[in-house]
Coordinates of all heavy atoms in Angstrom, one line a residue:
M2 N 10.9 -73.8 -9.4 CA 9.9 -73.8 -10.5 C 9.1 -72.5 -10.3 O 8.6 -72.2 -9.3 CB 9.1 -75.0 -10.3 CG 7.9 -75.1 -11.2 SD 7.0 -76.7 -11.1 CE 7.5 -77.4 -12.7
S3 N 8.8 -71.9 -11.5 CA 8.1 -70.6 -11.4 C 6.6 -70.9 -11.5 O 6.2 -71.9 -12.1 CB 8.5 -69.7 -12.6 OG 8.2 -70.3 -13.8
K4 N 5.8 -70.1 -10.9 CA 4.4 -70.3 -10.9 C 3.8 -69.8 -12.3 O 4.3 -68.7 -12.8 CB 3.8 -69.5 -9.7 CG 4.2 -70.1 -8.4 CD 3.4 -69.4 -7.2 CE 3.9 -69.9 -6.0 NZ 3.2 -69.3 -4.8
I5 N 2.8 -70.4 -12.7 CA 2.2 -70.1 -14.0 C 0.9 -69.4 -13.8 O 0.1 -70.0 -13.0 CB 2.1 -71.4 -14.9 CG1 3.5 -72.1 -15.1 CG2 1.4 -71.0 -16.2 CD1 4.5 -71.2 -15.8
G6 N 0.6 -68.4 -14.5 CA -0.7 -67.7 -14.5 C -1.7 -68.3 -15.3 O -1.4 -69.2 -16.1
K7 N -2.9 -67.7 -15.2 CA -4.0 -68.3 -16.0 C -3.8 -68.1 -17.6 O -4.3 -68.8 -18.4 CB -5.3 -67.5 -15.7 CG -5.8 -67.8 -14.3 CD -7.0 -67.1 -13.9 CE -7.5 -67.4 -12.5 NZ -8.7 -66.7 -12.2
D8 N -2.9 -67.2 -17.9 CA -2.5 -67.0 -19.3 C -1.5 -68.0 -19.8 O -1.1 -68.0 -20.9 CB -2.1 -65.6 -19.5 CG -0.8 -65.2 -18.8 OD1 -0.3 -66.0 -18.1 OD2 -0.4 -64.0 -18.8
G9 N -1.1 -68.8 -18.9 CA 0.0 -69.8 -19.3 C 1.4 -69.4 -19.3 O 2.3 -70.1 -19.7
K10 N 1.5 -68.1 -18.9 CA 2.9 -67.5 -18.7 C 3.3 -67.4 -17.3 O 2.4 -67.3 -16.4 CB 2.9 -66.1 -19.4 CG 2.5 -66.2 -20.9 CD 2.5 -64.8 -21.5 CE 2.2 -64.8 -23.0 NZ 2.1 -63.5 -23.5
P11 N 4.6 -67.3 -17.1 CA 5.1 -67.2 -15.7 C 4.5 -65.9 -15.0 O 4.3 -64.9 -15.6 CB 6.6 -67.1 -15.8 CG 6.9 -67.6 -17.1 CD 5.8 -67.4 -18.0
I12 N 4.2 -66.1 -13.7 CA 3.6 -64.9 -13.0 C 4.7 -63.8 -12.8 O 4.5 -62.6 -12.9 CB 3.1 -65.3 -11.6 CG1 1.8 -66.2 -11.8 CG2 2.8 -64.1 -10.7 CD1 1.3 -66.9 -10.6
D13 N 5.9 -64.2 -12.7 CA 7.1 -63.3 -12.5 C 7.4 -62.9 -14.0 O 7.9 -63.7 -14.7 CB 8.3 -64.0 -11.9 CG 9.6 -63.2 -11.9 OD1 9.5 -62.0 -12.3 OD2 10.6 -63.7 -11.5
K14 N 7.3 -61.7 -14.4 CA 7.3 -61.3 -15.7 C 8.7 -60.8 -16.0 O 9.0 -60.1 -17.0 CB 6.4 -60.1 -16.0 CG 4.9 -60.6 -15.9 CD 4.5 -61.5 -16.9 CE 3.0 -61.8 -16.8 NZ 2.6 -62.8 -17.7
S15 N 9.7 -60.9 -15.2 CA 11.0 -60.4 -15.4 C 11.7 -61.0 -16.6 O 12.7 -60.3 -17.1 CB 11.9 -60.6 -14.1 OG 12.1 -62.0 -13.9
Y16 N 11.3 -62.1 -17.1 CA 11.8 -62.6 -18.4 C 11.6 -61.6 -19.5 O 12.3 -61.7 -20.5 CB 11.1 -63.9 -18.7 CG 9.7 -63.9 -19.1 CD1 9.3 -63.7 -20.4 CD2 8.6 -63.9 -18.1 CE1 8.0 -63.6 -20.8 CE2 7.4 -63.8 -18.5 CZ 7.0 -63.7 -19.8 OH 5.7 -63.5 -20.1
L17 N 10.6 -60.6 -19.4 CA 10.5 -59.7 -20.4 C 11.6 -58.7 -20.6 O 11.6 -58.0 -21.5 CB 9.2 -58.9 -20.2 CG 7.8 -59.8 -20.3 CD1 6.7 -59.0 -19.7 CD2 7.6 -60.2 -21.7
E18 N 12.6 -58.7 -19.6 CA 13.6 -57.8 -19.7 C 14.9 -58.5 -20.3 O 15.9 -57.8 -20.5 CB 14.0 -57.3 -18.2 CG 13.0 -56.3 -17.7 CD 13.5 -55.6 -16.5 OE1 14.3 -54.7 -16.5 OE2 12.9 -56.1 -15.4
V19 N 14.8 -59.7 -20.6 CA 15.9 -60.5 -21.1 C 16.1 -60.1 -22.6 O 15.1 -60.1 -23.3 CB 15.7 -62.0 -21.0 CG1 16.8 -62.7 -21.7 CG2 15.7 -62.4 -19.5
G20 N 17.3 -59.7 -22.9 CA 17.6 -59.4 -24.4 C 17.1 -58.2 -24.9 O 16.9 -58.0 -26.1
L21 N 16.8 -57.1 -24.0 CA 16.3 -55.9 -24.5 C 17.3 -55.2 -25.3 O 18.5 -55.3 -25.1 CB 15.9 -55.0 -23.2 CG 14.7 -55.3 -22.6 CD1 14.6 -54.4 -21.3 CD2 13.4 -55.2 -23.4
P22 N 16.9 -54.4 -26.3 CA 17.8 -53.6 -27.1 C 18.7 -52.7 -26.3 O 18.2 -52.2 -25.2 CB 17.0 -52.8 -28.1 CG 15.7 -53.6 -28.1 CD 15.6 -54.2 -26.8
K23 N 19.9 -52.4 -26.7 CA 20.9 -51.5 -26.0 C 20.2 -50.2 -25.6 O 20.4 -49.7 -24.5 CB 22.1 -51.4 -26.8 CG 23.2 -50.6 -26.1 CD 24.4 -50.5 -26.9 CE 25.5 -49.7 -26.2 NZ 26.7 -49.6 -27.0
G24 N 19.5 -49.5 -26.5 CA 19.0 -48.2 -26.3 C 18.0 -48.3 -25.1 O 18.0 -47.3 -24.3
V25 N 17.2 -49.3 -25.0 CA 16.3 -49.4 -23.9 C 17.1 -49.6 -22.5 O 16.7 -48.9 -21.5 CB 15.3 -50.5 -24.1 CG1 14.3 -50.7 -22.9 CG2 14.5 -50.3 -25.3
T26 N 18.0 -50.5 -22.5 CA 18.7 -50.8 -21.3 C 19.5 -49.5 -20.8 O 19.6 -49.3 -19.6 CB 19.6 -51.9 -21.4 OG1 20.6 -51.8 -22.4 CG2 18.8 -53.2 -21.6
E27 N 20.1 -48.8 -21.8 CA 20.8 -47.6 -21.4 C 19.9 -46.6 -20.8 O 20.3 -46.0 -19.7 CB 21.5 -47.0 -22.7 CG 22.7 -47.8 -23.2 CD 23.2 -47.2 -24.5 OE1 22.6 -46.4 -25.1 OE2 24.3 -47.6 -24.8
D28 N 18.7 -46.4 -21.3 CA 17.8 -45.4 -20.8 C 17.2 -45.8 -19.5 O 17.0 -45.0 -18.6 CB 16.7 -45.1 -21.8 CG 17.1 -44.2 -22.9 OD1 18.3 -43.7 -22.8 OD2 16.4 -43.9 -23.9
I29 N 17.1 -47.2 -19.3 CA 16.6 -47.7 -18.0 C 17.7 -47.3 -17.0 O 17.4 -46.8 -15.8 CB 16.3 -49.1 -18.0 CG1 15.0 -49.4 -18.8 CG2 16.3 -49.8 -16.6 CD1 14.8 -50.9 -19.1
N30 N 19.0 -47.7 -17.3 CA 20.0 -47.4 -16.3 C 20.2 -45.9 -16.1 O 20.5 -45.5 -14.9 CB 21.4 -48.0 -16.9 CG 21.4 -49.6 -16.9 OD1 20.7 -50.1 -16.1 ND2 22.1 -50.1 -17.8
N31 N 20.1 -45.1 -17.1 CA 20.2 -43.6 -16.8 C 19.1 -43.2 -15.9 O 19.4 -42.3 -15.0 CB 20.1 -42.9 -18.1 CG 21.4 -43.1 -19.0 OD1 22.4 -43.5 -18.5 ND2 21.3 -42.9 -20.3
Y32 N 18.0 -43.6 -16.2 CA 16.7 -43.3 -15.3 C 17.0 -43.7 -13.8 O 16.7 -42.9 -12.9 CB 15.4 -43.8 -15.9 CG 14.3 -43.6 -15.0 CD1 13.8 -42.3 -14.8 CD2 13.6 -44.5 -14.3 CE1 12.7 -42.0 -14.0 CE2 12.5 -44.3 -13.4 CZ 12.1 -43.1 -13.3 OH 11.0 -42.8 -12.5
L33 N 17.4 -45.0 -13.7 CA 17.6 -45.5 -12.3 C 18.7 -44.7 -11.6 O 18.6 -44.4 -10.4 CB 17.9 -47.0 -12.4 CG 16.8 -47.9 -12.8 CD1 17.2 -49.3 -13.0 CD2 15.5 -47.7 -11.9
Q34 N 19.7 -44.3 -12.3 CA 20.8 -43.7 -11.8 C 20.3 -42.2 -11.3 O 20.7 -41.7 -10.1 CB 22.0 -43.5 -12.7 CG 23.1 -42.7 -12.2 CD 23.9 -43.2 -11.1 OE1 23.9 -44.4 -10.8 NE2 24.5 -42.3 -10.3
A35 N 19.5 -41.6 -12.1 CA 19.0 -40.2 -11.8 C 18.1 -40.4 -10.6 O 18.2 -39.5 -9.7 CB 18.2 -39.7 -13.0
K36 N 17.3 -41.4 -10.5 CA 16.5 -41.7 -9.4 C 17.2 -41.8 -8.1 O 16.9 -41.2 -7.0 CB 15.6 -42.9 -9.6 CG 14.2 -42.8 -9.0 CD 13.5 -44.0 -9.6 CE 12.1 -44.1 -8.8 NZ 11.3 -45.1 -9.3
R37 N 18.3 -42.6 -8.2 CA 19.2 -42.9 -7.0 C 19.9 -41.6 -6.5 O 20.0 -41.5 -5.2 CB 20.2 -44.0 -7.4 CG 19.8 -45.4 -7.2 CD 21.0 -46.3 -7.4 NE 21.8 -46.3 -8.6 CZ 21.4 -46.9 -9.7 NH1 20.4 -47.7 -9.7 NH2 22.2 -46.8 -10.8
T38 N 20.3 -40.8 -7.4 CA 21.0 -39.6 -7.0 C 20.1 -38.4 -6.8 O 20.5 -37.3 -6.6 CB 22.1 -39.2 -8.0 OG1 21.5 -39.0 -9.3 CG2 23.1 -40.4 -8.1
N39 N 18.8 -38.6 -7.0 CA 17.8 -37.5 -6.8 C 18.2 -36.3 -7.8 O 18.1 -35.2 -7.4 CB 17.7 -37.0 -5.4 CG 16.5 -36.3 -5.1 OD1 15.5 -36.5 -5.8 ND2 16.5 -35.5 -4.0
D40 N 18.5 -36.7 -9.0 CA 18.9 -35.8 -10.1 C 17.7 -34.8 -10.3 O 16.6 -35.2 -10.4 CB 19.2 -36.5 -11.3 CG 19.8 -35.6 -12.4 OD1 19.3 -34.6 -12.7 OD2 20.9 -36.1 -12.9
S41 N 18.1 -33.5 -10.4 CA 17.1 -32.4 -10.7 C 16.4 -32.7 -12.0 O 15.3 -32.0 -12.2 CB 17.7 -31.1 -10.5 OG 18.7 -30.9 -11.5
C42 N 16.9 -33.3 -12.9 CA 16.3 -33.6 -14.2 C 15.7 -35.0 -14.3 O 15.6 -35.5 -15.4 CB 17.4 -33.5 -15.3 SG 17.9 -31.8 -15.6
L43 N 15.3 -35.6 -13.2 CA 14.6 -36.9 -13.1 C 13.5 -37.0 -14.2 O 13.4 -37.9 -14.9 CB 14.2 -37.2 -11.8 CG 13.5 -38.7 -11.6 CD1 14.5 -39.7 -12.1 CD2 13.0 -38.9 -10.3
D44 N 12.7 -35.9 -14.3 CA 11.5 -35.9 -15.2 C 12.1 -36.0 -16.6 O 11.4 -36.6 -17.5 CB 10.6 -34.7 -14.9 CG 11.4 -33.3 -15.2 OD1 12.6 -33.2 -14.9 OD2 10.7 -32.4 -15.7
C45 N 13.2 -35.5 -16.9 CA 13.8 -35.6 -18.3 C 14.1 -37.0 -18.6 O 13.8 -37.5 -19.7 CB 15.0 -34.7 -18.4 SG 14.7 -32.9 -18.1
Y46 N 14.7 -37.7 -17.6 CA 15.1 -39.1 -17.8 C 13.9 -39.9 -17.9 O 13.8 -40.9 -18.7 CB 16.0 -39.6 -16.6 CG 17.4 -39.0 -16.7 CD1 17.7 -37.9 -15.9 CD2 18.4 -39.5 -17.6 CE1 19.0 -37.4 -15.9 CE2 19.6 -38.9 -17.5 CZ 19.9 -37.9 -16.8 OH 21.2 -37.4 -16.9
W47 N 12.8 -39.6 -17.1 CA 11.5 -40.3 -17.2 C 11.0 -40.2 -18.6 O 10.5 -41.2 -19.3 CB 10.5 -39.7 -16.2 CG 9.2 -40.5 -16.0 CD1 8.9 -41.4 -15.1 CD2 8.1 -40.4 -16.9 NE1 7.7 -41.9 -15.2 CE2 7.1 -41.3 -16.4 CE3 7.8 -39.7 -18.0 CZ2 5.8 -41.5 -16.9 CZ3 6.6 -39.9 -18.6 CH2 5.6 -40.6 -18.1
R48 N 10.9 -39.0 -19.2 CA 10.3 -38.8 -20.5 C 11.2 -39.5 -21.6 O 10.7 -39.9 -22.6 CB 10.2 -37.3 -20.8 CG 9.1 -36.6 -20.0 CD 8.7 -35.3 -20.6 NE 9.8 -34.3 -20.3 CZ 10.0 -33.5 -19.2 NH1 9.2 -33.7 -18.3 NH2 11.0 -32.7 -19.3
E49 N 12.5 -39.4 -21.4 CA 13.4 -40.1 -22.3 C 13.2 -41.5 -22.4 O 13.0 -42.2 -23.4 CB 14.9 -39.8 -21.9 CG 15.9 -40.4 -22.9 CD 15.9 -39.7 -24.3 OE1 15.5 -38.5 -24.4 OE2 16.2 -40.4 -25.3
L50 N 13.0 -42.2 -21.2 CA 12.7 -43.7 -21.1 C 11.4 -43.9 -21.7 O 11.2 -44.9 -22.6 CB 12.9 -44.2 -19.7 CG 12.5 -45.6 -19.5 CD1 13.3 -46.5 -20.4 CD2 12.7 -45.9 -18.0
Y51 N 10.4 -43.2 -21.4 CA 9.1 -43.2 -21.9 C 9.1 -43.3 -23.5 O 8.5 -44.1 -24.2 CB 8.1 -42.2 -21.4 CG 6.7 -42.3 -21.9 CD1 5.9 -43.3 -21.5 CD2 6.1 -41.3 -22.7 CE1 4.5 -43.5 -21.9 CE2 4.8 -41.4 -23.2 CZ 4.0 -42.4 -22.8 OH 2.8 -42.5 -23.2
G52 N 9.8 -42.3 -24.0 CA 9.9 -42.1 -25.5 C 10.6 -43.3 -26.1 O 10.2 -43.8 -27.2
T53 N 11.7 -43.8 -25.4 CA 12.4 -44.8 -26.0 C 11.6 -46.1 -26.0 O 11.6 -46.9 -27.0 CB 13.7 -45.1 -25.1 OG1 14.5 -43.9 -25.3 CG2 14.5 -46.3 -25.6
I54 N 10.8 -46.4 -24.9 CA 10.0 -47.6 -24.9 C 9.0 -47.5 -26.0 O 8.8 -48.5 -26.7 CB 9.3 -47.7 -23.5 CG1 10.3 -47.9 -22.4 CG2 8.2 -48.8 -23.6 CD1 9.8 -47.9 -21.0
N55 N 8.4 -46.4 -26.2 CA 7.3 -46.2 -27.2 C 7.9 -46.4 -28.6 O 7.4 -47.1 -29.5 CB 6.7 -44.8 -27.1 CG 5.9 -44.7 -25.9 OD1 5.4 -45.7 -25.2 ND2 5.6 -43.5 -25.6
S56 N 9.1 -45.7 -28.9 CA 9.6 -45.9 -30.2 C 10.1 -47.2 -30.5 O 10.0 -47.8 -31.7 CB 10.8 -44.8 -30.4 OG 11.9 -45.1 -29.5
F57 N 10.7 -48.0 -29.6 CA 11.1 -49.4 -29.8 C 9.9 -50.2 -30.0 O 10.1 -51.2 -30.8 CB 12.0 -49.8 -28.6 CG 13.4 -49.4 -28.8 CD1 13.9 -48.1 -28.7 CD2 14.5 -50.3 -29.0 CE1 15.2 -47.7 -28.9 CE2 15.8 -49.9 -29.2 CZ 16.1 -48.6 -29.1
Q58 N 8.8 -50.0 -29.4 CA 7.6 -50.8 -29.5 C 7.1 -50.6 -31.0 O 6.8 -51.5 -31.6 CB 6.5 -50.5 -28.5 CG 5.2 -51.2 -28.7 CD 4.1 -50.8 -27.9 OE1 4.3 -50.0 -26.9 NE2 3.0 -51.4 -28.1
V59 N 7.0 -49.3 -31.4 CA 6.5 -49.0 -32.7 C 7.3 -49.6 -33.8 O 6.8 -50.0 -34.8 CB 6.2 -47.4 -32.8 CG1 6.0 -47.1 -34.3 CG2 5.2 -46.9 -32.0
A60 N 8.6 -49.6 -33.5 CA 9.5 -50.2 -34.5 C 9.6 -51.7 -34.4 O 10.4 -52.3 -35.2 CB 10.9 -49.6 -34.3
D61 N 8.8 -52.2 -33.6 CA 8.8 -53.7 -33.4 C 10.1 -54.3 -32.9 O 10.5 -55.5 -33.2 CB 8.3 -54.5 -34.7 CG 6.9 -54.3 -34.9 OD1 6.1 -54.2 -34.0 OD2 6.5 -54.2 -36.2
L62 N 10.7 -53.6 -32.2 CA 12.0 -54.1 -31.5 C 11.8 -54.6 -30.2 O 12.7 -55.4 -29.7 CB 13.1 -53.0 -31.5 CG 13.5 -52.4 -32.8 CD1 14.3 -51.1 -32.8 CD2 14.2 -53.5 -33.7
I63 N 10.7 -54.2 -29.6 CA 10.2 -54.9 -28.3 C 8.6 -55.1 -28.5 O 8.0 -54.4 -29.3 CB 10.4 -54.1 -27.0 CG1 9.7 -52.7 -27.1 CG2 11.9 -53.9 -26.8 CD1 9.9 -51.9 -25.8
T64 N 8.1 -56.1 -27.9 CA 6.7 -56.4 -27.9 C 5.9 -55.4 -27.1 O 6.4 -54.7 -26.2 CB 6.4 -57.8 -27.5 OG1 6.7 -57.9 -26.1 CG2 7.2 -58.8 -28.3
K65 N 4.6 -55.4 -27.4 CA 3.6 -54.6 -26.6 C 3.8 -55.1 -25.1 O 3.7 -54.3 -24.2 CB 2.2 -54.6 -27.1 CG 1.2 -53.8 -26.3 CD -0.1 -54.0 -26.8 CE -1.2 -53.1 -26.1 NZ -1.0 -52.9 -24.6
E66 N 3.8 -56.4 -24.9 CA 3.9 -56.9 -23.5 C 5.1 -56.4 -22.9 O 5.1 -56.0 -21.7 CB 3.9 -58.5 -23.7 CG 3.8 -59.1 -22.3 CD 3.8 -60.6 -22.3 OE1 4.2 -61.2 -23.3 OE2 3.4 -61.2 -21.3
Q67 N 6.2 -56.5 -23.6 CA 7.5 -55.9 -23.0 C 7.4 -54.4 -22.7 O 7.7 -54.0 -21.5 CB 8.6 -56.1 -23.9 CG 9.1 -57.5 -24.0 CD 10.2 -57.6 -25.0 OE1 10.0 -57.3 -26.2 NE2 11.4 -58.1 -24.5
A68 N 6.8 -53.6 -23.6 CA 6.6 -52.3 -23.4 C 5.7 -51.9 -22.2 O 6.0 -51.1 -21.3 CB 6.1 -51.6 -24.6
D69 N 4.6 -52.7 -22.1 CA 3.7 -52.4 -21.0 C 4.4 -52.8 -19.6 O 4.2 -52.0 -18.6 CB 2.5 -53.2 -21.1 CG 1.5 -52.7 -22.2 OD1 1.7 -51.6 -22.7 OD2 0.6 -53.5 -22.7
Y70 N 5.1 -53.8 -19.6 CA 5.8 -54.2 -18.5 C 6.9 -53.2 -18.0 O 6.9 -52.8 -16.8 CB 6.5 -55.6 -18.7 CG 7.4 -56.0 -17.6 CD1 7.0 -56.7 -16.4 CD2 8.9 -55.8 -17.7 CE1 7.9 -57.0 -15.4 CE2 9.7 -56.2 -16.8 CZ 9.3 -56.9 -15.6 OH 10.2 -57.2 -14.6
L71 N 7.7 -52.7 -19.0 CA 8.6 -51.7 -18.6 C 8.0 -50.4 -18.1 O 8.5 -49.7 -17.2 CB 9.4 -51.4 -19.8 CG 10.4 -52.6 -20.3 CD1 11.0 -52.3 -21.7 CD2 11.3 -53.0 -19.3
R72 N 6.8 -49.9 -18.8 CA 6.2 -48.8 -18.3 C 5.7 -48.9 -16.9 O 5.8 -48.0 -16.1 CB 5.0 -48.4 -19.3 CG 5.4 -48.0 -20.6 CD 4.2 -47.5 -21.4 NE 4.5 -47.5 -22.9 CZ 4.1 -48.5 -23.7 NH1 3.4 -49.5 -23.4 NH2 4.5 -48.3 -25.0
K73 N 5.1 -50.1 -16.6 CA 4.6 -50.3 -15.3 C 5.7 -50.4 -14.2 O 5.6 -49.7 -13.2 CB 3.7 -51.5 -15.2 CG 3.1 -51.7 -13.8 CD 2.1 -53.0 -14.0 CE 1.4 -53.1 -12.5 NZ 0.5 -54.2 -12.6
K74 N 6.7 -51.2 -14.5 CA 7.8 -51.4 -13.6 C 8.7 -50.1 -13.3 O 8.9 -49.8 -12.2 CB 8.8 -52.5 -14.1 CG 9.9 -52.7 -13.2 CD 10.8 -53.9 -13.6 CE 11.9 -54.1 -12.6 NZ 12.8 -55.1 -12.9
Y75 N 9.1 -49.4 -14.4 CA 10.0 -48.3 -14.2 C 9.4 -46.9 -14.2 O 9.8 -46.0 -13.5 CB 11.1 -48.3 -15.3 CG 11.9 -49.5 -15.2 CD1 11.8 -50.6 -16.1 CD2 12.9 -49.6 -14.2 CE1 12.6 -51.7 -16.0 CE2 13.7 -50.7 -14.1 CZ 13.6 -51.7 -15.0 OH 14.4 -52.9 -14.9
L76 N 8.2 -46.7 -14.8 CA 7.6 -45.5 -14.9 C 6.3 -45.3 -14.0 O 5.6 -44.4 -14.1 CB 7.3 -45.1 -16.3 CG 8.5 -45.2 -17.3 CD1 8.1 -45.0 -18.7 CD2 9.6 -44.2 -16.9
D77 N 6.0 -46.5 -13.3 CA 4.9 -46.5 -12.5 C 3.6 -46.1 -13.2 O 2.7 -45.5 -12.6 CB 5.0 -45.5 -11.3 CG 6.2 -45.9 -10.4 OD1 6.4 -47.1 -10.1 OD2 7.0 -45.0 -9.9
M78 N 3.5 -46.6 -14.3 CA 2.3 -46.3 -15.2 C 1.3 -47.5 -15.1 O 1.7 -48.6 -15.2 CB 2.6 -46.1 -16.7 CG 3.5 -44.9 -16.8 SD 3.9 -44.5 -18.6 CE 2.2 -44.0 -19.1
E79 N 0.0 -47.2 -14.9 CA -1.0 -48.3 -14.9 C -1.2 -48.7 -16.4 O -1.4 -47.8 -17.3 CB -2.2 -47.8 -14.2 CG -2.0 -47.8 -12.7 CD -1.7 -49.1 -12.1 OE1 -2.3 -50.2 -12.5 OE2 -0.9 -49.2 -11.2
I80 N -1.3 -49.9 -16.7 CA -1.5 -50.5 -18.0 C -2.9 -51.0 -18.1 O -3.3 -51.8 -17.2 CB -0.5 -51.5 -18.4 CG1 1.0 -51.0 -18.2 CG2 -0.7 -52.0 -19.8 CD1 1.2 -49.6 -19.0
Y81 N -3.7 -50.6 -19.1 CA -5.0 -51.1 -19.2 C -5.2 -52.0 -20.4 O -4.5 -52.0 -21.4 CB -6.0 -50.0 -19.3 CG -6.0 -49.1 -18.1 CD1 -5.2 -47.9 -18.1 CD2 -6.6 -49.4 -16.9 CE1 -5.2 -47.1 -16.9 CE2 -6.6 -48.6 -15.8 CZ -5.8 -47.5 -15.8 OH -5.8 -46.6 -14.7

């Protein structure tokens, strides 16, 4: 049984990654691969993923909650 936070949602937010659009998952995978291999263009993959998350959020293909979660998890960005 998952623990529930004060907002009534599970504390483990990994459910926000379920059913992501293909473009987002591809860029996540590309970024993670670049990170694993210490690719010299890691910053390019970081920016690509950041842009993809933003564009998919603006297009209402992912929610703000999903976008914030992805930015924090993969891009180490603090969300306010």
